Amino acid sequence: YALGPAELIAEVRRTLAVLPFSVNRAAQAAAVAALADQAFLDRVRRESAERRRWFCAELDRRGYRRLPSVTNFVTIAVAASGDAQTVLARDHGILVRDTGVFGFPGHLRVSLGSEEELRTFLDALDQITAGAR
């Protein structure tokens, strides 16, 4: 919880619309431990790069426009991205981020899950965009 002047609390609430996920102390401790494990970091980087290459190639093959990425997520151009985010969550149980909340409408931020999860996402996206690429 937070206590403070009404203006400050209002600003905190606006931030929560953009960054709705918080990180607890256990997760912070795990992150610090992971950062100290070089072999783990190397494996994660390698696997993420491989999965990102596959996912981007699959997006290209299916005709989706995307931004270049060297991260653990890919940003995909999707008209009505807010509606797409809602339908993906409600009808398919898939959580993505509409980048309109960051001032960049018409795109979805998709984290690199497993290949199976990404295939499920792609099939759902194909259904809801139905050729509107």
Side-chain angles (χ1 to χ4, degrees):
Y1 68 91
L3 299 174
E7 302 82 32
L8 176 60
I9 299 303
E11 189 63 30
V12 169
R13 284 192 176 150
R14 276 192 291 281
T15 301
L16 292 176
V18 177
L19 301 170
F21 307 110
S22 62
V23 180
N24 63 36
R25 288 185 185 193
Q28 291 172 8
V32 169
L35 290 172
D37 185 345
Q38 193 59 51
F40 171 77
L41 290 176
D42 290 344
R43 181 173 53 82
V44 168
R45 283 187 194 108
R46 185 181 65 254
E47 290 173 358
S48 292
E50 291 169 5
R51 197 165 35 260
R52 184 177 52 248
R53 276 191 294 275
W54 171 83
F55 186 52
C56 288
E58 191 62 21
L59 287 166
D60 294 345
R61 187 182 74 74
R62 294 180 188 220
Y64 291 101
R65 292 181 311 119
R66 60 179 174 78
L67 299 178
S69 176
V70 294
T71 65
N72 67 341
F73 65 90
V74 176
T75 303
I76 304 164
V78 177
S81 53
D83 293 340
Q85 174 186 270
T86 299
V87 171
L88 286 164
R90 183 190 64 219
D91 298 350
H92 301 277
I94 298 170
L95 301 179
V96 296
R97 179 74 55 94
D98 170 24
T99 60
V101 298
F102 301 116
F104 191 58
H107 292 79
L108 294 176
R109 179 194 186 278
V110 180
S111 295
L112 294 173
S114 68
E115 186 173 324
E116 180 182 345
E117 291 167 332
L118 292 170
R119 284 186 190 281
T120 299
F121 162 77
L122 287 164
D123 292 344
L125 188 62
D126 284 348
Q127 287 178 21
I128 67 173
T129 60
R133 293 177 209 148

